[in-house]
Amino acid sequence: MAKIIEITDFDAPELDVYARLNENQLLSRQEPEKGLFIAESPKVIERALNAGCEPVSLLLEPRHITGEARGILARCENVPVYTAEASVLRNLTGFPMTRGALCAMRRPRLPGVEEVCADARRIAILENVVNPTNVGAIFRSAAALGMDAVLLTPACSNPLYRRAIRVSMGTVFQIPWTFLGKDLSEWPHPGMERIRNLGFRTAAMALSANALCIDDPRLLADEKLAIILGTEGEGLASGTIADCDYTVRIPMCHGVDSLNVAAASAVAFWELRPR
């Protein structure tokens, strides 16, 4: 049975994870085995639990204890559950808990690239996408529109940042993902070679006069395809584009020059999904 604890001391160290630790402190780069992340909302918490993530504690508005979070509490025996009214929790966290439920969880083991891609036919690669909102939105599209895995270059924002998890609606726990190395020097090489050695052709999403249109049948003919999307604003690095098997563009109308990377990802994933 979960241990319900009413909050009386805002300065209690066990509440630091919700009120005083920033994303880098939660990540715990020096001691990754101690890393934590925050899942927000009952639905997202359930998806994290379904993926095997280990809960450390919960922070709930009272309405959830006998409401939406009842099933979660049944799965979190002996896990501390801190609770207080919404106005008190806002003072603690510094923001309104619009869904009234947070869960601190241990970061899962990060799998290897080869493990993530073992049975994949379509993967997305994110190059230096730093906005957690975009990362979360891309994950949601990848999960919904036929991608089998997501790989991120070392400069990308972490998919387990609170904002990315929330925007993804918990799909970061439903689609396999990992980083293409730990150091910036590992992309585009040797990262690109690792992808090719796994049998993938590579498609750079970029604005180029000689790029293939996204509905070109040659793209669908490849058994295994990696769709590579670039950072906000600048897009993919020129060296990355040059190293790819294809450069692919989404046709634009009304003088619009490009789409936001998250919007472009949805179009690309749908059009290039395996048939």
Side-chain angles (χ1 to χ4, degrees):
M1 184 175 181
K3 299 182 290 185
I4 310 297
I5 304 167
E6 186 169 356
I7 294 172
T8 57
D9 180 8
F10 279 9
D11 295 323
E14 55 267 31
L15 298 177
D16 285 351
V17 65
Y18 300 108
R20 289 172 285 276
L21 298 184
N22 60 36
E23 294 286 9
N24 284 331
Q25 290 169 317
L26 289 172
L27 185 59
S28 189
R29 296 180 191 277
Q30 301 305 315
E31 299 177 281
E33 70 280 359
K34 295 183 179 179
L36 301 172
F37 68 88
I38 304 295
E40 181 178 341
S41 87
K43 178 178 289 187
V44 171
I45 294 168
E46 283 189 4
R47 286 179 173 171
L49 290 172
N50 291 342
C53 296
E54 179 186 351
V56 173
S57 66
L58 291 113
L59 183 64
L60 302 176
E61 291 180 17
R63 63 189 172 95
H64 282 309
I65 294 175
T66 56
E68 284 188 74
R70 280 186 303 172
I72 293 170
L73 296 182
R75 300 172 64 178
C76 294
E77 291 187 3
N78 301 316
V79 173
V81 179
Y82 302 101
T83 186
E85 294 299 329
S87 59
V88 175
L89 294 181
R90 178 169 186 167
N91 287 334
L92 172 68
T93 62
F95 63 91
M97 289 172 54
T98 55
R99 295 179 179 87
L102 300 177
C103 183
M105 294 182 151
R106 300 197 186 282
R107 287 180 179 259
R109 176 188 69 85
L110 197 63
V113 171
E114 289 72 18
E115 179 183 349
V116 164
C117 296
D119 299 314
R121 294 179 58 200
R122 292 291 185 271
I123 62 173
I125 299 178
L126 310 188
E127 180 183 85
N128 306 342
V129 179
V130 297
N131 186 315
T133 298
N134 283 333
V135 170
I138 292 169
F139 264 83
R140 190 172 183 180
S141 293
L145 301 175
M147 296 298 103
D148 299 310
V150 178
L151 303 179
L152 304 99
T153 66
C156 282
S157 180
N158 195 290
L160 293 184
Y161 282 173
R162 184 185 299 185
R163 177 71 177 169
I165 295 172
R166 182 166 67 247
V167 172
S168 82
M169 285 300 295
T171 54
V172 295
F173 307 114
Q174 295 178 300
I175 184 168
W177 64 270
T178 194
F179 281 93
L180 268 163
K182 298 180 180 180
D183 188 86
L184 297 179
S185 65
E186 296 183 66
W187 180 263
H189 302 286
M192 194 75 78
E193 285 75 17
R194 294 179 74 180
I195 300 305
R196 286 210 174 92
N197 288 339
L198 291 170
F200 287 91
R201 301 272 281 175
T202 51
M205 299 301 301
L207 299 173
S208 174
N210 61 354
L212 297 180
C213 186
I214 197 168
D215 61 359
D216 191 297
R218 284 172 286 182
L219 298 169
L220 293 180
D222 284 317
E223 178 65 22
K224 301 175 78 171
L225 188 67
I227 302 163
I228 307 180
L229 298 134
T231 186
E232 300 86 353
E234 296 178 4
L236 288 172
S238 57
T240 300
I241 297 171
D243 282 342
C244 284
D245 298 301
Y246 307 109
T247 303
V248 182
R249 61 181 174 83
I250 299 170
M252 297 285 122
C253 301
H254 298 292
V256 177
D257 60 354
S258 65
L259 295 174
N260 164 273
V261 65
S265 75
V267 175
F269 298 160
W270 171 255
E271 187 64 38
L272 300 176
R273 73 195 186 283
R275 302 295 202 272

